[in-house]
Amino acid sequence: MIKLLIVEDEKNLAHNIERIVDDVAQTTVVYDGAEGLFEAESGIYDLIILDLMLPEMNGYEVLAKLRQTRQTPVLILTAKDGLEDKVEGFQKGADDYLTKPFHREELLMRVKALLKRSLGVFDEETISYGNLRCLLNNKQVYFQQEELPIQGKEFELLVYLIQNQDIILTKEQIFDRIWGFDSETTLTVVEVYMSRLRKHLAPTNFQQNIQTLRNVGYIMKGSN
């Protein structure tokens, strides 16, 4: 359910990081700053682990450009351990800063802390929307005490909408997030699953909170 972007040019290290966070998130790895910025700006990631010394575009530049459009949490992971480097990283908009070499447990702890802060996960593994509760471990949805028949991609879609309340999500963003860039299905699948989700949310009256923005995408209004 959680998507994490790793921007690291040392391939062995990148894959080691990928293995460390494998139980926490689905990962995408890129090896230069330009591609990292392109991926980050797609808006489908919940957290970005960013090296500073990258080809094409350094991490500071990636972070500065990203912060012009998105506030996705960013953990800088770098060998640059000087105070001035850390200060610049935080000034550019980093949420956390970890230097190499690092301990596996510390990286995992920091990743979980950032995700907990931004998404509210790793507490009870539950995301709530009013009286609606999504159990992330079991992939079950309850309205008050009644379980709703929301499963599979519908469940992922609901969680993504709740995590991005009051934010416009384009059909392309939703497709890339739920089905993936390399999916063989078409963009129309988003409309199909949105219709199914609304039908299953009918008993809650929350279906009316999902608004369609013609030729753009969707927005889920906050529950309060």
Side-chain angles (χ1 to χ4, degrees), residues 90-142:
F90 284 115
Q91 287 178 337
K92 289 290 194 299
D95 296 272
D96 201 355
Y97 195 110
L98 181 61
T99 57
K100 306 172 185 175
F102 57 88
H103 292 288
R104 176 188 185 280
E105 292 76 12
E106 183 175 8
L107 174 61
L108 197 56
M109 178 189 67
R110 288 174 183 253
V111 165
K112 286 186 174 183
L114 288 173
L115 291 171
K116 178 179 177 180
R117 188 189 312 164
S118 61
L119 302 180
V121 297
F122 304 114
D123 278 335
E124 300 174 357
E125 297 292 338
T126 301
I127 289 180
S128 298
Y129 182 82
N131 293 329
L132 197 70
R133 293 183 298 119
C134 300
L135 308 185
L136 300 181
N137 282 336
N138 301 325
K139 296 190 176 181
Q140 294 172 307
V141 180
Y142 287 88

Side-chain angles (χ1 to χ4, degrees), residues 175 179 185-194:
F175 182 85
W179 284 271
T185 190
T186 63
L187 197 61
T188 56
V189 74
V190 175
E191 297 175 14
V192 172
Y193 274 79
M194 193 67 74

